[in-house]
Amino acid sequence: MNDLKKEIERPEIFNAIRNSIPDARYSARKLAEAFTENIKPLRMEESEHMFVNLSQNIQELDYFLDFITQLREGMRYFDGFNLPADPISSEGAGLSLFQEMHAALESKDWIMLSDLIEYELSPLLLKQEQWLGSLYEKILEYDA
Amino acid sequence: MIFEKNISELRRTDSELAETLSNWSGRSEVEVVNTKKNTLSLRVNNITLHSLYDPQKEAEDWVKYYEGEIAKAESLYVFGFGLGYHLLALCRVTDSPVCVFEPRIEVLRKAFENIDLTTILSRTRITTDCRVPAVNNCFALLHHKPSVTLNHKYFDEIQVKLKSWEAIRRGLRILVVGPIYGGSLPVARYCSSSLIKMGHSVELIDNSRFENELFYAKDISDNRERYTRMMQYLSSFISEAVTARCETFKPDLVLVLAQAPLTADCLEHLRQKKVNTAYWFVEDFRLMEYWKNIAGYYDFFFTIQKGQFFTELQRAGITNYHYLPMAACPDNHKPVRLSDEEMKYYGSDLSFVGAGYYNRRHFMRGLLDFDIKIWGSDWDLHSDLAHCVQRGGAWIDTDEIVKIFNASGININLHSSTYHKGINPCGDFINPRTFEIIACGGFQLADRRLALEGLFEEGQDIIVFEDLQDLRSKVAYYLDNPEERKRIAGRGRQRVLREHTYENRMGEMLEVIAAKGLTQPLWPEEGEDVEGLIKESGSDSELGQYLSRFSDKRRITLSEITEEISGSEGEISKPEGIFMLMNEFVR
């Protein structure tokens, strides 16, 4: 741990990561719920309201993924935590899911899109939230 | 194995579709795919039809999504079959009849091959074409979304037709336009009263009020050109009145009867307003050729002849025609109790009611040795028939005609011809008298017409004659057998009441219109959306519950609500009081 402490040259990064994780966890949970809730009607009908909500969710997902990219950048300071790779980045899981979602959206295959969101994306976001939780615990442990 | 079981179940209710599915061997764009739950889904043209994770749960969610509509409806129309998961789930929660529309035979084939559908096939009707069955009850439309996405044009068409049925069931606004005079004048009245009985809002433009003007134009001058011009003015006047009335009445459908003098401008105006128009050409197309000038202006052109007339219509580039034979109006054409005096006055062994056309003048001479009375105009009063012609050949009104039909032992029905000496062998329509005599409970001997086939059972509902000789021998036989006359007349009457009333015809006409789909006229909408009002006030609130009595209407105005309150009995409720007060303010 002492070695690790040495590696942290910028305490402001450490603080920023620590302080942002609770918000990120909350966002991941809420995003998973919102996607599941908003996608439900798509199996039954196409409504403008539903598409507006969905596009808002996708935008929020974008912000969240930006945060994860930033976090991954900051993670090089935390190699010593021995945390597994985050679920979204792991083996390109997120990338391949987003490509499938994009294809479903392009071909207006709403059942496929609903399935991907309900059975893949939302659980993936919840896994990401758990991973963030583990990371946070490690950080607190370290901080102590 | 599953396929055979399903097909054998389907064969009980729809052998034609069972045959089609059994013989289907087309190229399939349908791909059966495994789901994560080890069940099956379908993909067609890159569209997934059922969840690839849990199709059964998805089906249950689908039923839940529609549960409000399912509970309220008496019949259910489902757009899309897929593999049938949603239908299996649906049939678990309702006993209402289910009709499924699915245009892709290959999808049905895959469903029948892979899913056990035996529990639902006996109560599910499957339609693969664009024909929509008549709908007479409250129904719900349930969309299997991916199927609709795949076949949106097909389902758009079905939806328009079903919506047309819904509009018809709720009652249309129909403007009936009659002629100035002639045989189609009473028909316009019968159509109008039948449509009212069927629950539609109907207005009859009764142009008989212009009869004096028409005859005045005829009599004032021998100059044909001036007469034509006067008639054009009269037609323009009547057409303007119809256009004006349409603006106020805002009809969904304008039904025009033969000889009604509407101008092309008027019909063009109605077309621009997207008003549905129908014309019932209750004429012989060989004698009345004006159909060529008018048929193309109407959305629907109904005729009392088919065969050669249809060929002629096609040749003229007209495709919107439909056969609609004449009928009887049981409110007018019915058995009546006659006094002894009336029996003596109107009764005879044989009677004939109708104008003295060329063939009738010749033919009736062969019956002069019987007790025969002839009623109607245009008979030669200087011929040997003169003593049989009643009241000097005066025109006879419907009430008296009904008495004659009731009082006569045998009613002769000989269709008119201007150039045959007896029966017109080419005659291909049935006159109204055929139905009216039978509806009155009268016994009839009618000349043979091919068109009788399918309308009546010869020898059971009606007796026909081939020529004068045949008629004479049948007259002699039936005069001696009154019980047989009574039996045939009674059976024929039941048939007419069941199948050949103006209500039947108006129903058939609306069926044709619904099959093509009603357009929504461009009249400015009045009133408020009833469903919206109920939703806004809360369906459980006092106001919401009160408004729910109008839920069979699409829109409602304040004056319609107060009219309903004024016509009801008992104490006035709170919402009723408020509506009455609001109406007072508005006034």
Side-chain angles (χ1 to χ4, degrees):
Chain A
M1 215 43 106
N2 285 339
D3 293 343
L4 179 66
K5 199 170 182 181
K6 274 186 217 160
E7 283 176 29
I8 299 175
E9 293 162 356
R10 297 181 186 171
E12 66 273 21
I13 294 180
F14 175 81
N15 287 338
I17 290 173
R18 186 189 55 198
N19 294 340
S20 62
I21 285 177
D23 279 350
R25 288 184 68 190
Y26 178 80
S27 295
R29 237 182 358 253
K30 281 290 158 196
L31 209 44
E33 279 168 21
F35 264 118
T36 307
E37 199 51 41
N38 290 331
I39 206 67
K40 263 184 196 165
L42 188 57
R43 294 186 192 272
M44 320 298 168
E45 61 171 340
E46 282 168 49
S47 72
E48 202 187 323
H49 175 70
M50 194 274 311
F51 282 116
V52 167
N53 285 343
L54 184 61
S55 101
Q56 199 178 326
N57 294 155
I58 290 172
Q59 201 170 16
E60 282 161 8
L61 178 66
D62 250 0
Y63 297 146
F64 181 75
L65 293 176
D66 273 351
F67 168 78
I68 296 295
T69 309
Q70 297 294 324
L71 183 66
R72 209 179 297 133
E73 184 64 23
M75 281 296 289
R76 65 192 171 88
Y77 298 109
F78 301 97
D79 284 347
F81 282 4
N82 291 326
L83 272 174
D86 73 277
I88 288 181
S89 315
S90 163
E91 292 172 16
L95 183 65
S96 123
L97 173 60
F98 301 141
Q99 280 169 347
E100 281 183 80
M101 280 173 59
H102 181 72
L105 198 65
E106 285 285 293
S107 59
K108 296 189 176 173
D109 186 351
W110 306 132
I111 296 292
M112 176 71 95
L113 182 64
S114 303
D115 273 351
L116 292 172
I117 290 177
E118 185 178 344
Y119 295 103
E120 300 289 350
L121 178 64
S122 292
L124 187 62
L125 284 167
L126 292 176
K127 275 187 203 162
Q128 190 77 7
E129 187 268 342
Q130 280 172 3
W131 178 85
L132 285 168
S134 315
L135 176 63
Y136 191 60
E137 274 171 27
K138 291 270 182 192
I139 289 173
L140 289 184
E141 207 177 296
Y142 162 77
D143 210 17
Chain B
M1 187 63 187
I2 291 178
F3 183 73
E4 278 72 33
K5 266 175 70 183
N6 283 332
I7 284 293
S8 136
E9 192 60 34
L10 179 67
R11 207 164 268 133
R12 291 169 200 257
T13 52
D14 190 344
S15 56
E16 202 180 315
L17 182 60
E19 209 56 34
T20 307
L21 283 176
S22 300
N23 297 333
W24 188 85
S25 61
R27 198 174 64 83
S28 180
E29 292 161 329
V30 180
E31 184 194 350
V32 179
V33 285
N34 282 313
T35 71
K36 302 261 174 180
K37 285 240 168 178
N38 217 17
T39 50
L40 299 172
S41 179
L42 284 185
R43 281 180 65 78
V44 187
N45 295 341
N46 289 327
I47 299 282
T48 312
L49 293 196
H50 299 286
S51 170
L52 295 165
Y53 289 75
D54 195 345
Q56 272 112 346
K57 179 186 168 286
E58 181 186 63
E60 274 152 27
D61 288 345
W62 181 85
V63 169
K64 210 165 183 187
Y65 178 79
Y66 282 115
E67 68 187 348
E69 282 97 326
I70 294 167
K72 274 192 274 175
E74 292 165 274
S75 53
L76 302 164
Y77 291 88
V78 182
F79 284 8
F81 200 97
L83 282 177
Y85 290 116
H86 55 303
L87 302 168
L88 287 160
L90 177 65
C91 288
R92 279 197 290 274
V93 300
T94 177
D95 292 325
S96 299
V98 177
C99 178
V100 192
F101 292 93
E102 175 53 64
R104 290 178 188 257
I105 297 293
E106 67 269 35
V107 167
L108 285 175
R109 171 86 192 199
K110 293 291 180 200
F112 274 62
E113 279 172 355
N114 292 292
I115 307 287
D116 183 352
L117 301 162
T118 50
T119 54
I120 61 165
L121 288 174
S122 61
R123 49 179 293 210
T124 304
R125 179 178 169 168
I126 305 167
T127 299
T128 56
D129 55 27
C130 284
R131 282 176 296 177
V132 172
V135 186
N136 300 313
N137 54 17
C138 173
F139 65 87
L141 295 183
L142 316 177
H143 295 76
H144 180 242
K145 176 70 190 325
S147 301
V148 175
T149 306
L150 263 180
N151 312 289
H152 64 95
K153 274 189 186 160
Y154 169 81
F155 286 116
D156 282 352
E157 192 176 337
I158 300 289
Q159 180 140 331
V160 166
K161 290 174 182 178
L162 281 167
K163 294 271 178 197
S164 301
W165 273 114
E166 191 179 27
I168 289 168
R169 193 182 61 78
R170 289 183 175 200
L172 300 177
R173 298 177 74 78
I174 303 175
L175 189 77
V176 179
V177 184
I180 297 173
Y181 86 114
S184 54
L185 183 58
V187 178
R189 291 171 183 155
Y190 301 147
C191 290
S192 171
S193 61
S194 301
L195 287 164
I196 290 169
K197 278 171 84 176
M198 291 161 76
H200 303 285
S201 299
V202 181
E203 260 199 37
L204 170 65
I205 300 276
D206 188 345
N207 289 313
S208 64
R209 73 191 76 200
F210 299 108
E211 192 179 328
N212 287 339
E213 286 74 8
L214 182 128
F215 285 108
Y216 180 73
K218 259 186 185 170
D219 295 342
I220 192 110
S221 163
D222 290 335
N223 186 325
R224 187 80 198 156
E225 213 173 287
R226 289 206 184 280
Y227 167 72
T228 306
R229 208 176 307 158
M230 280 188 278
M231 285 313 296
Q232 281 167 352
Y233 288 141
L234 187 56
S235 297
S236 295
F237 181 83
I238 289 172
S239 296
E240 196 59 32
V242 167
T243 307
R245 194 60 206 136
C246 279
E247 279 164 9
T248 317
F249 182 60
K250 301 181 176 63
D252 301 299
L253 170 68
V254 174
L255 169 62
V256 182
L257 268 296
Q259 302 277 355
L262 291 192
T263 61
D265 282 352
C266 171
L267 293 164
E268 193 48 52
H269 176 78
L270 293 178
R271 177 164 291 180
Q272 279 171 15
K273 289 281 177 194
K274 292 195 185 296
V275 180
N276 304 278
T277 54
Y279 193 94
W280 197 4
F281 187 72
V282 289
E283 308 261 29
D284 182 349
F285 81 97
R286 294 183 182 89
L287 291 179
M288 298 292 180
E289 294 192 331
Y290 69 90
W291 60 267
K292 291 175 186 165
N293 304 324
I294 58 160
Y297 282 106
Y298 291 89
D299 298 321
F300 303 93
F301 190 73
F302 294 93
T303 68
I304 56 169
Q305 288 156 297
K306 36 190 179 178
Q308 199 191 332
F309 191 16
F310 282 4
T311 311
E312 294 289 331
L313 283 161
Q314 280 166 10
R315 197 171 293 159
I318 292 156
T319 53
N320 54 346
Y321 54 82
H322 306 272
Y323 177 59
L324 192 69
M326 299 301 302
C329 182
D331 288 342
N332 298 77
H333 308 116
K334 58 189 177 188
V336 288
R337 192 180 289 275
L338 299 175
S339 67
D340 291 345
E341 289 79 34
E342 285 176 318
M343 274 303 287
K344 199 172 165 194
Y345 182 70
Y346 294 112
S348 57
D349 282 348
L350 300 186
S351 73
F352 179 82
V353 180
Y357 278 89
Y358 176 77
N359 64 330
R360 291 169 176 169
R361 291 181 182 199
H362 276 274
F363 197 81
M364 293 302 162
R365 282 203 189 103
L367 298 170
L368 289 176
D369 51 331
F370 290 103
D371 168 31
I372 181 168
K373 284 182 180 170
I374 294 172
W375 305 81
S377 58
D378 302 321
W379 291 91
D380 182 0
L381 298 177
H382 303 291
S383 71
D384 45 0
L385 285 174
H387 71 281
C388 303
V389 177
Q390 305 298 300
R391 296 220 297 254
W395 182 79
I396 312 290
D397 68 22
T398 302
D399 286 349
E400 283 199 298
I401 289 173
V402 167
K403 288 178 183 173
I404 296 163
F405 289 161
N406 272 271
S408 306
I410 296 173
N411 291 280
I412 306 288
N413 182 8
L414 176 65
H415 287 77
S416 62
S417 171
T418 50
Y419 47 93
H420 295 93
K421 285 199 170 173
I423 295 175
N424 176 357
C426 310
D428 55 0
F429 67 90
I430 305 296
N431 62 18
R433 197 174 300 113
T434 310
F435 302 97
E436 292 167 0
I437 293 170
I438 301 178
C440 288
F443 176 76
Q444 171 175 199
L445 287 175
D447 55 339
R448 176 169 297 287
R449 309 284 272 193
L450 275 177
L452 280 172
E453 271 178 32
L455 296 175
F456 292 105
E457 193 179 337
E458 191 184 321
Q460 295 294 324
D461 304 326
I462 195 170
I463 305 297
V464 299
F465 59 88
E466 312 290 342
D467 52 30
L468 182 60
Q469 195 61 30
D470 187 33
L471 174 63
R472 287 184 60 83
S473 73
K474 281 176 176 158
V475 164
Y477 174 80
Y478 284 106
L479 283 177
D480 283 346
N481 291 281
E483 284 307 311
E484 204 169 331
R485 287 200 319 250
K486 207 171 154 188
R487 184 182 59 75
I488 292 166
R491 201 183 133 127
R493 184 161 187 273
Q494 289 311 312
R495 179 89 186 247
V496 166
L497 295 182
R498 203 171 54 239
E499 295 174 25
H500 304 310
T501 65
Y502 281 97
E503 272 191 62
N504 292 130
R505 296 297 180 255
M506 292 301 97
E508 289 159 34
M509 182 185 80
L510 293 178
E511 219 165 290
V512 167
I513 293 172
K516 193 191 164 204
L518 273 169
T519 54
Q520 180 69 44
L522 300 175
W523 306 121
E525 287 208 291
E526 269 188 351
E528 301 288 335
D529 171 50
V530 177
E531 288 297 320
L533 285 176
I534 294 172
K535 211 170 172 183
E536 208 174 310
S537 38
S539 54
D540 293 334
S541 69
E542 196 180 358
L543 180 58
Q545 284 184 0
Y546 173 74
L547 288 168
S548 66
R549 73 183 60 186
F550 303 106
S551 55
D552 60 331
K553 295 184 178 205
R554 206 167 57 82
R555 301 184 76 81
I556 189 120
T557 61
L558 179 60
S559 62
E560 282 169 329
I561 294 176
T562 50
E563 211 171 281
E564 209 266 349
I565 297 168
S566 307
S568 63
E569 287 176 1
E571 257 181 53
I572 287 187
S573 67
K574 193 176 160 195
E576 284 176 328
I578 293 170
F579 280 123
M580 294 302 274
L581 194 64
M582 279 166 64
N583 198 42
E584 284 304 312
F585 278 123
V586 171
R587 281 166 66 187

